Amino acid sequence: GESVGLHLPTLSVQEGDNSIINCAYSNSASDYFIWYKQESGKGPQFIIDIRSNMDKRQGQRVTVLLNKTVKHLSLQIAATQPGDSAVYFCAERNTGTASKLTFGTGTRLQVTL
Amino acid sequence: DSGVTQTPKHLITATGQRVTLRCSPRSGDLSVYWYQQSLDQGLQFLIQYYNGEERAKGNILERFSAQQFPDLHSELNLSSLELGDSALYFCASSVLDRVSPLHFGNGTRLTVT
């Protein structure tokens, strides 16, 4: 089902290419960041996380980069596959409100064959 | 499969009515979080419980309430429903009383007519 507003930014990528999804966060007190993937009709699925004392973390086919200077987070997906088509959200946790995740608006990734 | 179970999957009700949404967290997780996802507002944090106690509140209306039971399942009660309450309601769980990360269920789609 639909996950966020009608005006989601969309990234179209050809199958096999690398994808880069960007996210700007606003709170310099955020100490923990997560990328989620949401497919149609499902809940957000955890992809990868990173703490503020790191600037890079790698998983299987995914890499998250954190630039605290400019408050920017990116998710890189290598060799993008049709199954990667989904909406991707970044989320941040503020040290002052450690129980709360604040989500970005999301980016729709479309993988073309 | 995240291990978080939500019921029902879909709920259609009329304005003014009251509904209860149910969530079972992942085995071993003590924290339960509720989020609302609507078209125009994205994912919004509502409330968090840890081991039966309320820990944090977000943008939760007074018409909404929640609780976490001794077996750790949680219920979100929505009353005096309005058309604007139509949304996806997600439950998430984590081991700790802080985001570490969160694992989401597949949600309950509420339609208020």
Side-chain angles (χ1 to χ4, degrees):
Chain A
E2 66 278 359
S3 24
V4 289
L6 297 174
H7 303 293
L8 271 184
T10 299
L11 175 66
S12 284
V13 173
Q14 203 154 16
E15 182 181 5
D17 287 351
N18 297 334
S19 303
I20 300 177
I21 301 171
N22 296 303
C23 176
Y25 66 94
S26 55
N27 197 329
S28 55
S30 292
D31 66 344
Y32 177 60
F33 304 87
I34 308 176
W35 279 100
Y36 283 94
K37 171 187 180 183
Q38 188 173 22
E39 297 175 280
S40 181
K42 295 187 177 179
Q45 176 191 350
F46 172 81
I47 302 173
I48 192 167
D49 57 1
I50 189 168
R51 300 192 184 276
S52 59
N53 60 354
M54 304 171 70
D55 52 21
K56 181 178 180 179
R57 191 160 189 230
Q58 288 184 287
Q60 189 176 12
R61 277 203 309 122
V62 294
T63 301
V64 55
L65 299 177
L66 174 62
N67 185 329
K68 293 182 288 293
T69 303
V70 295
K71 292 189 283 198
H72 183 267
L73 198 63
S74 69
L75 176 71
Q76 300 178 0
I77 304 173
T80 311
Q81 302 167 359
D84 295 327
S85 294
V87 177
Y88 289 80
F89 295 94
C90 66
E92 61 184 293
R93 181 187 75 187
N94 184 308
T95 51
T97 57
S99 297
K100 178 181 170 184
L101 265 187
T102 300
F103 282 81
T105 52
T107 297
R108 187 180 303 281
L109 177 64
Q110 290 180 339
V111 181
T112 58
L113 302 177
Chain B
D1 182 9
S2 68
V4 177
T5 305
Q6 288 188 249
T7 57
K9 200 172 170 67
H10 301 279
L11 204 46
I12 302 174
T13 189
T15 54
Q17 295 298 304
R18 173 189 168 93
V19 297
T20 298
L21 283 50
R22 185 190 166 102
C23 168
S24 293
R26 290 190 323 163
S27 177
D29 284 0
L30 299 178
S31 261
V32 169
Y33 305 74
W34 287 97
Y35 277 78
Q36 179 192 56
Q37 188 176 42
S38 56
L39 281 176
D40 59 351
Q41 297 242 342
L43 274 156
Q44 299 287 319
F45 170 68
L46 295 178
I47 197 164
Q48 181 219 358
Y49 280 81
Y50 175 74
N51 206 18
E53 293 187 0
E54 182 185 303
R55 274 299 170 101
K57 256 184 172 177
N59 304 321
I60 188 165
L61 300 171
E62 285 192 14
R63 300 184 285 109
F64 297 180
S65 65
Q67 52 185 331
Q68 186 180 28
F69 295 87
D71 67 353
L72 301 177
H73 91 271
S74 178
E75 292 180 355
L76 179 67
N77 301 297
L78 314 176
S79 61
S80 303
L81 285 167
E82 301 174 0
L83 295 177
D85 297 327
S86 295
L88 278 163
Y89 291 85
F90 288 105
C91 170
S93 70
S94 67
V95 173
L96 303 176
D97 64 347
R98 59 188 308 183
V99 171
S100 56
L102 299 188
H103 298 274
F104 284 80
N106 283 328
T108 294
R109 180 178 294 280
L110 174 67
T111 303
V112 183
T113 62

